[in-house]
Coordinates of all heavy atoms in Angstrom, one line a residue:
L244 N -50.9 -32.2 17.9 CA -50.8 -30.7 17.8 C -49.7 -30.3 16.9 O -49.4 -29.1 16.7 CB -50.7 -30.1 19.2 CG -51.8 -30.2 20.1 CD1 -51.5 -29.5 21.4 CD2 -53.1 -29.6 19.5
G245 N -49.0 -31.2 16.3 CA -48.1 -30.8 15.2 C -46.7 -30.5 15.8 O -46.0 -29.6 15.3
E246 N -46.3 -30.9 16.9 CA -45.0 -30.7 17.5 C -43.9 -31.1 16.6 O -44.0 -32.1 15.9 CB -44.8 -31.4 18.9 CG -43.7 -31.0 19.7 CD -43.9 -29.8 20.5 OE1 -45.0 -29.6 21.0 OE2 -42.9 -29.0 20.5
R247 N -42.9 -30.2 16.4 CA -41.8 -30.4 15.5 C -40.5 -30.4 16.3 O -40.3 -29.5 17.1 CB -41.8 -29.3 14.4 CG -42.9 -29.4 13.4 CD -43.0 -28.3 12.5 NE -43.0 -27.0 13.1 CZ -44.2 -26.4 13.5 NH1 -45.3 -27.1 13.3 NH2 -44.3 -25.2 14.0
V248 N -39.9 -31.5 16.3 CA -38.6 -31.7 17.0 C -37.5 -32.0 16.0 O -37.7 -33.0 15.2 CB -38.7 -32.7 18.1 CG1 -37.5 -32.9 18.9 CG2 -39.9 -32.3 19.1
E249 N -36.4 -31.4 16.1 CA -35.3 -31.6 15.2 C -34.0 -31.9 15.9 O -33.6 -31.1 16.8 CB -35.0 -30.4 14.2 CG -34.1 -30.8 13.0 CD -34.0 -29.6 12.1 OE1 -34.7 -28.7 12.2 OE2 -33.2 -29.8 11.2
L250 N -33.4 -33.1 15.7 CA -32.1 -33.5 16.4 C -31.0 -33.3 15.4 O -31.0 -33.9 14.4 CB -32.3 -34.9 16.9 CG -31.1 -35.6 17.4 CD1 -30.6 -34.9 18.6 CD2 -31.3 -37.1 17.7
A251 N -30.2 -32.3 15.8 CA -29.0 -32.1 15.0 C -27.7 -32.6 15.7 O -27.2 -31.9 16.6 CB -28.8 -30.6 14.6
R252 N -27.2 -33.8 15.4 CA -26.1 -34.4 16.0 C -24.8 -34.0 15.4 O -24.7 -33.9 14.2 CB -26.2 -35.9 16.1 CG -27.3 -36.5 17.1 CD -27.2 -37.9 17.1 NE -26.1 -38.4 18.0 CZ -25.8 -39.7 18.2 NH1 -26.5 -40.6 17.4 NH2 -24.9 -40.0 18.9
I253 N -23.8 -33.5 16.2 CA -22.5 -33.2 15.7 C -21.6 -34.4 15.8 O -20.9 -34.7 14.9 CB -21.9 -32.0 16.4 CG1 -23.0 -30.9 16.5 CG2 -20.7 -31.5 15.7 CD1 -23.5 -30.4 15.1
T254 N -21.4 -35.0 17.0 CA -20.7 -36.1 17.3 C -21.5 -37.1 18.1 O -22.7 -36.8 18.4 CB -19.3 -35.8 18.0 OG1 -19.6 -35.4 19.3 CG2 -18.6 -34.8 17.3
T255 N -20.9 -38.2 18.6 CA -21.7 -39.1 19.5 C -21.9 -38.4 20.9 O -22.7 -38.9 21.7 CB -20.9 -40.4 19.8 OG1 -19.6 -40.1 20.2 CG2 -20.8 -41.2 18.4
R256 N -21.2 -37.3 21.2 CA -21.4 -36.7 22.4 C -22.1 -35.3 22.3 O -22.8 -34.8 23.2 CB -20.0 -36.4 23.1 CG -19.3 -37.6 23.6 CD -18.0 -37.3 24.3 NE -18.2 -36.5 25.4 CZ -18.6 -36.9 26.6 NH1 -18.7 -38.1 26.8 NH2 -18.7 -36.0 27.6
R257 N -22.0 -34.7 21.2 CA -22.4 -33.2 21.1 C -23.7 -33.2 20.1 O -23.6 -33.8 19.0 CB -21.4 -32.3 20.6 CG -20.2 -32.2 21.6 CD -19.3 -31.1 21.2 NE -18.5 -31.4 20.0 CZ -17.4 -32.2 20.1 NH1 -17.0 -32.7 21.2 NH2 -16.7 -32.5 19.0
A258 N -24.7 -32.5 20.5 CA -25.9 -32.4 19.7 C -26.7 -31.2 20.1 O -26.6 -30.7 21.2 CB -26.8 -33.7 19.8
Y259 N -27.6 -30.8 19.2 CA -28.6 -29.7 19.4 C -30.0 -30.3 19.3 O -30.2 -31.2 18.4 CB -28.4 -28.5 18.5 CG -27.1 -27.8 18.6 CD1 -26.0 -28.1 18.0 CD2 -27.1 -26.7 19.5 CE1 -24.8 -27.5 18.3 CE2 -25.9 -25.9 19.6 CZ -24.8 -26.4 19.0 OH -23.7 -25.6 19.2
V260 N -30.9 -29.9 20.0 CA -32.4 -30.2 19.8 C -33.2 -28.9 19.7 O -33.1 -28.0 20.6 CB -32.9 -31.1 21.0 CG1 -34.3 -31.2 20.9 CG2 -32.1 -32.4 21.1
L261 N -33.8 -28.8 18.6 CA -34.7 -27.6 18.3 C -36.2 -28.2 18.4 O -36.5 -29.1 17.7 CB -34.5 -27.1 17.0 CG -35.4 -26.0 16.5 CD1 -35.0 -24.7 17.3 CD2 -35.2 -25.7 15.0
T262 N -37.0 -27.5 19.2 CA -38.4 -27.8 19.3 C -39.3 -26.6 18.9 O -39.0 -25.5 19.2 CB -38.9 -28.3 20.7 OG1 -38.5 -27.2 21.6 CG2 -38.1 -29.6 21.1
V263 N -40.3 -26.8 18.1 CA -41.3 -25.8 17.7 C -42.6 -26.4 18.1 O -43.1 -27.3 17.4 CB -41.1 -25.4 16.3 CG1 -42.1 -24.2 15.9 CG2 -39.7 -25.0 16.0
G264 N -43.4 -25.8 19.0 CA -44.6 -26.3 19.4 C -45.4 -25.4 20.3 O -45.0 -24.3 20.5
D265 N -46.5 -26.0 20.8 CA -47.4 -25.3 21.6 C -47.3 -25.8 23.0 O -47.7 -26.9 23.3 CB -48.9 -25.5 21.1 CG -49.9 -24.9 22.0 OD1 -49.6 -24.1 22.8 OD2 -51.1 -25.4 21.9
S266 N -46.7 -25.0 23.9 CA -46.4 -25.5 25.2 C -47.7 -25.4 26.1 O -47.7 -26.0 27.2 CB -45.3 -24.7 25.9 OG -45.8 -23.3 26.0
T267 N -48.8 -24.7 25.6 CA -49.9 -24.6 26.5 C -50.8 -25.9 26.3 O -51.8 -26.1 27.1 CB -50.7 -23.4 26.0 OG1 -51.2 -23.6 24.7 CG2 -49.8 -22.2 26.1
G268 N -50.6 -26.6 25.2 CA -51.5 -27.8 24.9 C -52.8 -27.4 24.3 O -53.7 -28.2 24.2
L269 N -53.0 -26.1 23.9 CA -54.1 -25.6 23.3 C -53.9 -25.4 21.8 O -52.9 -24.6 21.5 CB -54.6 -24.3 23.9 CG -55.0 -24.4 25.4 CD1 -55.3 -23.1 26.0 CD2 -56.2 -25.4 25.6
S270 N -54.7 -25.9 20.9 CA -54.4 -25.7 19.5 C -54.7 -24.3 19.1 O -55.6 -23.8 19.6 CB -55.4 -26.6 18.8 OG -55.2 -26.5 17.3
G271 N -53.8 -23.7 18.3 CA -54.0 -22.4 17.9 C -53.1 -21.5 18.6 O -53.0 -20.3 18.3
A272 N -52.4 -21.9 19.7 CA -51.7 -20.9 20.6 C -50.4 -20.6 19.7 O -50.0 -21.3 18.8 CB -51.4 -21.6 21.8
A273 N -49.8 -19.5 20.2 CA -48.6 -19.1 19.5 C -47.5 -20.1 19.7 O -47.3 -20.7 20.8 CB -48.1 -17.7 20.1
P274 N -46.7 -20.4 18.7 CA -45.6 -21.4 18.8 C -44.5 -21.0 19.8 O -44.3 -19.7 20.0 CB -45.0 -21.5 17.4 CG -46.1 -20.9 16.5 CD -46.7 -19.9 17.3

Side-chain angles (χ1 to χ4, degrees):
L244 291 180
E246 188 79 40
R247 295 176 297 280
V248 178
E249 190 173 0
L250 171 59
R252 291 185 75 187
I253 311 300
T254 68
T255 56
R256 294 182 57 85
R257 297 188 289 279
Y259 293 87
V260 172
L261 176 72
T262 58
V263 183
D265 172 18
S266 66
T267 68
L269 299 176
S270 179

